[in-house]
Amino acid sequence: AEAASDEEGLDQSARLHARRALAVYGILTLSGIALVWAAGLPLFEALIHTLAAISTGGFSGFADSLAGVDRWGLIALGAVACVGALPLPLFYRAYAHGLHQLWRDPELRALGTALLLVTLLLRWLGQLAPADALAQAVFAQTTTGYSTLDLTGLDPTAKLVLIFSMITGGGVGSTAGGVKLLRVLILIRVIQLAILRVQIPRHGVLQADLNGRALEPAQIEHALLVLLLYPLVILLSWLPFLAAGYAPLDALFEIVSAVGTVGLSVGIASPELETGLKLLLSLDMLLGRLEILALLVLLYPGTWTKRH
């Protein structure tokens, strides 16, 4: 009876979480449409571009993505993309417990830091104009995939910066792809603890925590496993492109964009791409959206065999 009660409690908790996430998603979508429409895009364009931005889908109704959109439209869509890259439960916590919950969230601060860093690197190392540097930083880091310029002619340094940005992605519980900022923060914390343990007495104890919250061993293990699987998938996918004769950096860019479910391209992903490589990129996108581990569990024979 106790087990049944626990299962029922978990089921109710899952349904409550789903309803809250759906409500937050709906409110953010409607607010985004109003914002983008007010910024100057026609209503239908505001609708389709907001839907793509809030879901970090990146599909555009324009042939040149957002290259022809004016400054206010870019600002509005950039804001919507950033909102979509933040954990949906964060907005409910801010509603229920106050706006201070936003700034206290480590992933929001990490997203802001990443956007600033990527913008500066694209501006000074990649030689992009300030507006393009900011726009591409936003649409790569949030894995939205919009672009304001032709990426095929980017400086190699800029491509490498965008690669790191795309693979990092947005927050856990958001619509963004990538390994997720929280897992990167956990990795940084684990490295920090490993360094500190060398400096403390033998019997000293260090608490694995993040932003004042204790990190459970299972949480750390899962984060490190995902951070291992993503580069492994990227490496294995990279080799066939290299064997086919594609430029190494451009091939890596396309694969990271696919695994991170971003959609940015430097020209390799096209109708002319070999069928086998198209299928490989499609598999990469599926692995990235399901976060690899979920698909491995699905394909594992033990998942389907009856357990005694």
Side-chain angles (χ1 to χ4, degrees), residues 38-88:
L41 268 72
L43 180 58
F44 181 72
E45 301 295 346
L47 171 65
I48 62 174
H49 287 86
T50 299
L51 290 175
I54 198 69
S55 66
T56 65
F59 290 105
S60 175
F62 306 120
D64 56 356
S65 192
L66 300 185
V69 175
D70 64 18
R71 178 180 60 179
W72 293 112
L74 288 175
I75 291 174
L77 286 171
V80 173
C82 289
V83 166
L86 291 172
L88 294 179

Side-chain angles (χ1 to χ4, degrees), residues 179 182-184 186-187 218-228:
V179 298
L182 181 62
R183 294 177 183 132
V184 175
I186 291 175
L187 174 62
Q219 186 180 13
I220 297 174
E221 178 183 331
H222 182 267
L224 296 181
L225 180 59
V226 171
L227 288 168
L228 172 66

Side-chain angles (χ1 to χ4, degrees), residues 7-53:
E7 185 176 347
E8 182 179 354
L10 288 173
D11 186 49
Q12 292 177 349
S13 177
R15 289 201 299 268
L16 179 60
H17 175 78
R19 286 198 297 267
R20 288 174 176 175
L22 181 60
V24 169
Y25 191 87
I27 292 171
L28 294 178
T29 299
L30 293 175
S31 301
I33 293 171
L35 177 64
V36 176
W37 188 23
L41 268 72
L43 180 58
F44 181 72
E45 301 295 346
L47 171 65
I48 62 174
H49 287 86
T50 299
L51 290 175

